Amino acid sequence: MSRRIAIVEDEAAIRENYADVLRKQGYEVQTYANRKDAMSAFDMRLPNLAIIDIGLENEIDGGFALCQALRSLSDTLPIIFLTARDNDFDTVSGLRMGADDYLTKDISLPHLTARIAALFRRLAVIDQPPSPENLLHRGKLTLDISRLTVKWEEIPVPLTVTEFWMVHALAKYPGHVKSRQVLMQESKIFVDGSTITSHIKRIRRKFMQVDFTFDCIETVYGMGYRWSLETASQH
């Protein structure tokens, strides 16, 4: 069964370029130029994944509204924002509205298709038992690399695909400082440095909702971030 991807993008050339690449990968692709057309289609039938631009025709934040509407129809549908706007505020808003990923339009097409494959992989393995060789344990943290899920003391932490790969990059080598540049490369996103900061803040907040004493992600000023296995009680 081929997976259906919806692309909502008001620039025809960009829209068709992405659609062309994804069709060659074997996906079924529907394209829409504005929120209204996309929503009337989604009300009839949801896609398996949506790629949305933020600015849609005369609606500066039309993509945000569309993302919220989609989320109200499905909690698990993968949503990627793909936009020329890479400022901090937009990224944070996009992720807060429930997007799984936020990529800027300078991302390479192989990277984009890798992100899409990762999101589909995560959906495909939700109900299967985890396999031991794909699990990474660091103290209270468990990462399942095959399904891109995270647990803290066995409680699931709802991270997006980008957030998962950032935690993976940090936790794989505890104590090693990772610069923002390295975090970008390893989590396959291309945004400005301040966006990395906002991702880290969101990740910390999500862990703290599960355990308010969480303090494993340290900021090393002027250098980057590191995963520390020491907890507050050991300081």
Side-chain angles (χ1 to χ4, degrees):
M1 189 186 82
S2 83
R3 295 193 178 268
R4 287 171 298 106
I5 296 178
I7 300 174
V8 191
E9 158 66 65
D10 57 359
E11 287 180 51
I14 295 176
R15 189 171 67 234
E16 292 319 311
N17 186 21
Y18 290 141
D20 192 42
V21 168
L22 294 174
R23 284 185 186 119
K24 286 187 176 127
Q25 300 266 328
Y27 296 114
E28 195 185 309
V29 182
Q30 278 105 19
T31 59
Y32 308 96
N34 57 55
R35 180 165 71 104
K36 194 167 141 286
D37 292 351
M39 256 339 279
S40 25
F42 297 161
D43 281 336
M44 305 280 288
R45 188 187 189 199
L46 283 177
N48 299 119
L49 178 144
I51 298 172
I52 302 174
D53 190 8
I54 295 177
L56 294 171
E57 291 184 347
N58 57 351
E59 294 186 289
I60 297 173
D61 291 333
F64 286 156
L66 182 59
C67 177
Q68 284 180 302
L70 263 178
R71 264 294 158 261
S72 67
L73 296 172
S74 165
D75 289 331
T76 54
L77 176 87
I79 299 173
I80 298 177
F81 274 117
L82 190 60
T83 174
R85 284 156 53 169
D86 67 351
N87 69 51
D88 209 16
F89 176 74
D90 284 332
T91 312
V92 175
S93 305
L95 296 171
R96 193 178 290 141
M97 281 167 191
D100 294 279
D101 224 336
Y102 186 107
L103 307 171
T104 48
K105 284 180 183 169
D106 54 3
I107 188 171
S108 71
L109 290 166
H111 263 138
L112 173 62
T113 54
R115 304 302 274 211
I116 290 170
L119 281 162
F120 279 140
R121 190 171 76 237
R122 183 165 72 172
L123 279 185
V125 295
I126 282 171
D127 300 324
Q128 293 167 17
S131 63
E133 68 272 17
N134 286 322
L135 297 179
L136 175 73
H137 295 283
R138 295 286 181 267
K140 298 174 179 177
L141 177 79
T142 307
L143 291 179
D144 185 340
I145 294 148
S146 63
R147 63 177 62 179
L148 309 185
T149 55
V150 177
K151 287 184 177 174
W152 183 259
E153 292 190 289
E154 292 306 303
I155 301 166
V157 183
L159 299 184
T160 67
V161 167
T162 295
E163 290 165 349
F164 174 88
W165 287 119
M166 287 178 75
V167 170
H168 180 266
L170 290 167
K172 200 171 175 189
Y173 302 107
H176 288 218
V177 177
K178 298 273 182 169
S179 69
R180 288 178 171 145
Q181 197 58 43
V182 168
L183 281 178
M184 275 189 229
Q185 285 162 357
E186 297 194 8
S187 52
K188 298 185 180 65
I189 48 169
F190 301 93
V191 288
D192 54 17
S194 63
T195 304
I196 293 288
T197 311
S198 71
H199 275 298
I200 293 282
K201 280 182 187 161
R202 286 185 60 76
I203 291 168
R204 281 191 184 124
R205 203 175 304 133
K206 286 180 177 183
F207 274 100
M208 288 174 82
Q209 281 169 348
V210 170
D211 174 1
F212 72 94
T213 66
F214 174 84
D215 67 345
C216 288
I217 299 175
E218 289 181 13
T219 303
V220 184
Y221 289 97
M223 301 198 37
Y225 302 93
R226 73 171 158 224
W227 188 271
S228 150
L229 282 178
E230 293 183 11
T231 59
S233 59
Q234 295 171 307
H235 284 296

